[in-house]
Amino acid sequence: MTSPFAIPPGEQRYVDAASDLAPQFAAAADEHDHEASLPVANLTALHKAGLDMAAMPVERGGAGLSYQALGEILRIVGKACPATACVWMMHLGAAQALVTYGPPFYAEELRAGKRFANALSEPTGGNLFLMPLQRAEPVDGGYELDGAKRFVSGCEIADHYLVNALLDDGPGFFGVPRDDTVEMVPIWDSMGLRGTRSQLLNFRGTLLRHENRCLITDPSAPNIIALGLPWLSIGIAEAALDALTGHARGRIVPTTGKPVGDLQWVQFDAADSHVKLLAARTLAERSMWLADRNVPGALEAAVEAKLYANQVAKDIAEFGLRVGGGSGYLRTSPIQRHFRDAQAGALMAFSVEVCRDMLGRRLVGGDPV
């Protein structure tokens, strides 16, 4: 029986391209984690495979890749190297806004291999990344911004930033080139997703040019980052489950002479993990299905999918530590890396707590999401 969430036949080649690249991404994932180094070669490979432009709208020279296919690609890349998936997703999210709603040259820059970064989160803004608190003042040619944005994944190699600021008529979104007014503050010594190098940016008299403004007509429309975040956690959860099952099959308990996987509690928890992962994937696929059809409620579905996927990733990664024991706790084991990476999704906006609050208020208090 064909799945209702099947990849459109004409887009399978993009998924296959990601699958072909995944083994080399996975081989370098530990190194990027240990050194907190950006996976530049991986990002370049994704661009050369045509996956950057594939995700852009047809009217701007892209392939108009479906969200369904994009989710599958993010899952594949996220399972192999979640730092690569995270930086690439943020790159695509910034590019989507600038290419779709900004001047045409942004599509040309993306096609040429230029890098984009999403610079929306403010140090005091919490999860309200679409509602900036920092005001930009009118000047000749645009607006001038003095402020800071944090957790800007891949900012060190970005050529263009998607930046927002509070204007007299409300939030405004702009493309900002990397120049001397943008200072990087090296704060990134993190628990997990270390290869994203999500530094803090200081903007000092940075010009937000009128001609580079993104005239986003519908902030509630589907977007790559909101819909893609659940898939990052799903990829990490799949990698964690593979690592723990491999350990459970190969690790022999001295007192019984049998593998850890023969223990009933391990089998029971593995079954639960398998079903949780299927459920998380189904929720994420549903959100992509809705987004591809422009059905109202796609972003609400993405919030539901993110909440569950974040929790499932943490649960499975913690199960991996219990199965791995002392061996899984060592840096030489991928189990500990999956555990650290799994914590990140629940903290990324909208955080698990904010997702629960949004959904809970709608269910109990009657507020819209």
Side-chain angles (χ1 to χ4, degrees), residues 31-331:
E31 179 183 352
H32 288 303
D33 172 75
H34 183 65
E35 297 180 353
S37 58
L38 277 166
V40 177
N42 297 351
L43 300 168
T44 300
L46 289 167
H47 173 75
K48 288 183 176 179
L51 295 177
D52 283 356
M53 284 304 298
M56 297 299 112
V58 173
E59 57 270 22
R60 290 300 179 101
L65 189 70
S66 68
Y67 281 105
Q68 201 68 257
L70 182 61
E72 181 66 3
I73 292 169
L74 284 170
R75 179 193 67 81
I76 291 167
V77 177
K79 181 178 180 180
C81 178
T84 297
C86 184
V87 174
W88 186 59
M89 178 180 65
M90 296 300 177
H91 160 73
L92 288 184
Q96 180 187 43
L98 293 169
V99 169
T100 304
Y101 302 108
F105 86 89
Y106 282 121
E108 300 168 8
E109 289 285 271
L110 183 64
R111 188 178 295 107
K114 300 297 184 180
R115 305 301 311 171
F116 293 73
N118 197 56
L120 303 178
S121 296
E122 297 178 354
T124 60
N127 278 244
L128 303 177
F129 56 94
L130 294 179
M131 292 297 295
L133 302 176
Q134 297 169 359
R135 180 173 293 276
E137 299 298 331
V139 295
D140 289 342
Y143 300 86
E144 188 173 86
L145 175 63
D146 285 291
K149 304 290 183 176
R150 66 174 182 170
F151 303 146
V152 186
S153 299
C155 62
E156 294 164 325
I157 56 170
D159 301 287
H160 302 283
Y161 304 107
L162 175 65
V163 179
N164 60 354
L166 190 60
L167 311 179
D168 289 338
D169 59 350
F173 296 79
F174 296 83
V176 174
R178 181 174 177 176
D179 61 24
D180 292 341
T181 69
V182 182
E183 175 196 13
M184 296 178 198
V185 182
I187 64 168
W188 196 247
D189 188 7
S190 59
M191 175 190 293
L193 289 187
R194 290 171 53 75
T196 65
R197 295 192 62 80
S198 304
Q199 312 285 22
L200 183 144
L201 297 182
N202 280 330
F203 295 88
R204 295 291 179 258
T206 301
L207 181 60
L208 309 180
R209 296 182 180 277
H210 285 308
E211 63 269 26
N212 292 344
R213 185 170 182 178
C214 298
L215 300 176
I216 298 176
T217 54
D218 183 9
S220 66
N223 66 83
I224 287 172
I225 295 175
L227 288 154
L229 280 169
W231 294 98
L232 181 61
S233 286
I234 289 169
I236 292 170
E238 288 190 0
L241 188 57
D242 282 357
L244 75 87
T245 54
H247 182 87
R249 291 169 182 157
R251 175 69 169 174
I252 303 301
V253 180
T255 55
T256 65
K258 296 180 180 180
V260 170
D262 274 14
L263 297 172
Q264 189 178 64
W265 72 267
V266 175
Q267 295 176 357
F268 280 9
D269 282 10
D272 288 345
S273 296
H274 169 72
V275 174
K276 286 179 181 179
L277 197 43
L278 285 177
R281 183 164 176 171
T282 301
L283 283 173
E285 287 174 328
R286 170 177 167 267
S287 69
M288 298 310 217
W289 188 92
L290 292 171
D292 282 330
R293 288 154 183 80
N294 290 314
V295 176
L299 289 185
E300 178 181 335
V303 170
E304 295 167 342
K306 182 183 183 298
L307 170 62
Y308 192 63
N310 292 164
Q311 293 172 322
V312 167
K314 291 174 68 174
D315 288 348
I316 294 177
E318 190 271 337
F319 172 40
L321 272 187
R322 288 190 285 118
V323 170
S327 298
Y329 196 69
L330 298 175
R331 185 180 288 275

Side-chain angles (χ1 to χ4, degrees), residues 16-26 42 45-46 49 51 80:
D16 292 342
S19 297
D20 290 342
L21 292 171
Q24 71 188 61
F25 293 177
N42 297 351
L46 289 167
L51 295 177

